[in-house]
Amino acid sequence: MKKVCWPYFDPDFENLPERIYGPSCKVSIDNESLQDCTLVKVDSVKKQGLLLQLVQVLTDLNLTITKSYISSDAGWFMDVFHVKDEHGHKLADQRLLNYIQQTIGERTETHSSVMAKASRGHSFISESSSEHTTIEMTATDRPGLFSEISAALADLHCNIVEAHAWSHNAHLACIANISDDSTDTPIEDPHRLAVIQEHLTTILRATTATTGTSLDQQDAKTADIHGGGEGTTTDMERRLHQLMLSVRDFDGPPSPSMIPPGLEGGDEGMKPVVLIESCKEKQYSVVSIQCKDRPRLMFDTVCTLTDMQYVIFHASTGSNGDSAFQEYYIRHVDGRTLHTESEKERVVKCLEAAIKRRVCQGVRLQLCAADRAGLLSDITRVLRENGLTVLRADVATQGKKAVNAFYIKDISGNDIDMGFVKSMRREMGPIDLEVKNETSRACSPEKSHFSISNMLKSQIERISHSFILTR
């Protein structure tokens, strides 16, 4: 018999990174050093997209990241997050602290960066999960469009279990999880799915009577989304960012004569300031952002840079009163920096759009009612018939209750009569209604801020050369 020789592989080779660096991830939580916030510290092997995963864990828990410091040279990832709960207090529940520590550890172990494909000017029905079917939609927005979508799904005997819709720069992106309204099970019949998709696509591509223009149907593609029944809210929000990016909402709205009434801009006063400079000594592009502070801001900016295929090597974020400052040291995944003015301009526009998509303007309606088939259709119909259009919607089902939040605006552009909105409760039937005016104020950026520029110039080289030895 012929002797076959195979190369020898050390059985401990797969564990070499852990033997060099120590455990692949170390998560520590410090609740003693600072009186007003909790420190979450993460040391891990560097992986593209990992920062977004960590920010998403904290965001999913409705925690506010007041400051953060990130460094990831020499193949190692070091993060410090200053976090508070939704009431502005440090974290006191030990079960929550344990959950954060466990979940971050699991995310770093199982993390893989997957870029979803995006869609344009269409509706798409994804694979069914064990609980529901997920539909993605993008279109040129017009007053009452979200109401038309809700009514169409109700007519097709679909129950909307969860939905999120964003409107920005005359574009609409919407993701809806639906089930059969009689069995409360996923819709799997191919013929029925085709009918639903065709019906929705007809609505999305309908001629806009108020402008006399039709929707852009160029480059209409099929999108893909997985695990609809298991995703978190931020999974859907990341997908909404991707959908908006795919329809190029960052390019700005069309000319004023082409914008339907009720969807005009008016947010110039809170335009974020985004600057891109070069750190030639260390071959980084430095992205500086200054804007009005708000929840989920870091998630939105990190999400956008990650989905645009940029790697964040260092960062610092913080806030001063109502103003937030963020600074990111980035390179493209292929290792190059931002050289051309066109590339820099695109990154600036995309970050500005990501920040402004979630800015809440108009009147916020929080509605809670017993869930039933057609409830969302009835609510949005009442809004539409009273001259109100939905700018953003967050729809959820909690047990047998439907909890809906809408940001609405008068179609004619006039101020909304708060008393009139409350009077609509009679038309909506037995429902708990909370009304709040959340028209955003203009952002006045502070002139002074903390920057890690000088610190990095003197320390990055030391970190990159010595960190492996210290590990």
Side-chain angles (χ1 to χ4, degrees):
M1 181 181 292
K2 186 178 180 179
K3 185 176 180 181
V4 179
C5 298
W6 297 94
Y8 173 74
F9 289 96
D10 189 329
D12 291 330
F13 180 77
E14 291 184 356
N15 299 325
L16 184 60
E18 184 170 330
R19 290 161 59 191
I20 295 176
Y21 296 113
S24 59
C25 177
K26 179 182 178 183
V27 183
S28 60
I29 297 180
D30 181 0
N31 229 354
E32 304 297 331
S33 297
L34 300 176
Q35 294 183 349
D36 60 341
C37 66
T38 300
L39 298 181
V40 178
K41 304 176 182 179
V42 182
D43 289 353
S44 171
V45 173
K46 179 182 174 183
K47 302 174 186 176
Q48 163 63 351
L50 180 57
L51 175 60
L52 176 59
Q53 293 287 320
L54 302 184
V55 173
Q56 184 171 337
V57 169
L58 301 175
T59 304
D60 279 334
L61 296 170
N62 288 326
L63 302 179
T64 300
I65 302 173
T66 58
K67 288 183 181 180
S68 67
Y69 306 96
I70 290 93
S71 181
S72 59
D73 268 337
W76 200 260
F77 184 83
M78 298 178 291
D79 278 358
V80 179
F81 299 99
H82 296 227
V83 299
K84 297 181 180 180
D85 63 20
E86 56 187 331
H87 304 295
H89 304 140
K90 66 190 305 183
L91 312 185
D93 190 337
Q94 187 59 45
R95 293 172 300 178
L96 175 60
L97 300 178
N98 294 340
Y99 177 83
I100 293 173
Q101 198 162 17
Q102 176 183 348
T103 305
I104 289 179
E106 292 174 353
R107 287 288 182 99
T108 55
E109 293 294 336
T110 61
H111 167 71
S112 62
S113 180
V114 178
M115 288 296 296
K117 296 179 181 179
S119 60
R120 180 170 185 167
H122 76 293
S123 68
F124 172 74
I125 303 176
S126 79
E127 300 176 1
S128 298
S129 73
S130 59
E131 298 179 2
H132 57 247
T133 302
T134 300
I135 305 175
E136 293 183 350
M137 291 161 276
T138 58
T140 299
D141 199 11
R142 63 179 185 270
L145 179 56
F146 184 72
S147 176
E148 294 178 42
I149 294 171
S150 304
L153 290 173
D155 291 341
L156 294 166
H157 304 288
C158 301
N159 181 43
I160 300 177
V161 181
E162 181 180 6
H164 299 276
W166 288 356
S167 176
H168 179 247
N169 275 351
H171 293 282
L172 175 76
C174 177
I175 301 177
N177 295 335
I178 64 171
S179 62
D180 182 86
D181 65 0
S182 59
T183 63
D184 201 26
T185 57
I187 301 172
E188 299 176 339
D189 176 37
H191 175 71
R192 185 179 178 189
L193 291 175
V195 170
I196 294 172
Q197 182 170 356
E198 181 180 2
H199 198 121
L200 290 173
T201 301
T202 300
I203 293 174
L204 297 174
R205 291 179 173 175
T207 299
T208 306
T210 55
T211 62
T213 60
S214 60
L215 301 183
D216 181 6
Q217 299 183 25
Q218 296 179 353
D219 300 326
K221 299 179 181 179
T222 301
D224 191 16
I225 188 170
H226 299 281
E230 300 176 357
T232 64
T233 298
T234 49
D235 289 326
M236 298 185 76
E237 290 177 346
R238 181 180 184 185
R239 188 65 186 135
L240 285 170
H241 277 301
Q242 292 171 343
L243 291 173
M244 280 296 198
L245 192 65
S246 74
V247 297
R248 299 181 65 87
D249 72 317
F250 55 86
D251 276 341
S255 62
S257 61
M258 301 287 284
I259 304 176
L263 295 176
E264 298 87 346
D267 56 352
E268 292 80 0
M270 49 192 179
K271 180 180 175 66
V273 177
V274 182
L275 301 175
I276 298 180
E277 300 174 315
S278 296
C279 179
K280 295 182 179 180
E281 298 91 338
K282 306 302 175 186
Q283 293 298 303
Y284 293 122
S285 292
V286 185
V287 180
S288 301
I289 303 171
Q290 204 161 2
C291 62
K292 183 179 176 64
D293 195 19
R294 60 166 174 79
R296 298 175 180 258
L297 178 61
M298 187 175 182
F299 171 80
D300 292 337
T301 53
V302 172
C303 173
T304 299
L305 289 172
T306 302
D307 287 338
M308 292 182 72
Q309 296 292 287
Y310 291 103
V311 181
I312 299 173
F313 288 86
H314 303 275
S316 71
T317 70
S319 59
N320 185 355
D322 289 338
S323 181
F325 176 78
Q326 299 181 348
E327 189 174 62
Y328 298 105
Y329 284 69
I330 66 171
R331 295 184 193 131
H332 196 267
V333 289
D334 61 10
R336 60 182 174 82
T337 57
L338 282 69
H339 290 304
T340 66
E341 290 303 317
S342 60
E343 186 178 14
K344 292 179 181 179
E345 182 181 5
R346 185 172 185 270
V347 171
V348 169
K349 286 184 175 181
C350 289
L351 286 171
E352 289 176 348
I355 294 168
K356 294 163 68 174
R357 283 173 198 143
R358 203 194 291 269
V359 172
C360 304
Q361 287 187 296
V363 173
R364 182 178 190 272
L365 299 184
Q366 178 83 35
L367 305 100
C368 182
D371 192 28
R372 60 173 175 81
L375 175 63
L376 182 61
S377 175
D378 291 343
I379 292 173
T380 55
R381 174 185 55 79
V382 171
L383 295 174
R384 184 180 76 247
E385 291 176 351
N386 285 276
L388 302 174
T389 187
V390 177
L391 301 177
R392 175 180 155 191
D394 295 296
V395 177
T397 304
Q398 299 176 359
K400 296 183 178 181
K401 289 284 188 181
V403 180
N404 303 333
F406 304 102
Y407 293 88
I408 61 174
K409 188 175 182 180
D410 187 272
I411 292 177
S412 62
N414 299 324
D415 292 336
I416 297 177
D417 185 341
M418 304 292 282
F420 171 71
V421 173
K422 293 179 180 179
S423 69
M424 291 192 306
R425 181 176 180 178
R426 294 190 295 271
E427 298 183 59
M428 295 181 179
I431 193 169
D432 293 330
L433 175 64
E434 179 183 338
V435 183
K436 185 178 181 182
N437 193 335
E438 294 200 0
T439 301
S440 301
R441 295 180 291 108
C443 177
S444 301
E446 298 288 336
K447 293 184 179 180
S448 60
H449 58 262
F450 170 77
S451 170
I452 61 173
S453 304
N454 295 331
M455 179 186 73
L456 282 177
K457 288 180 180 179
S458 60
Q459 294 187 1
I460 289 176
E461 188 173 2
R462 177 180 58 82
I463 292 174
S464 61
H465 288 296
S466 65
F467 190 71
I468 293 179
L469 296 177
T470 61
R471 285 282 167 183

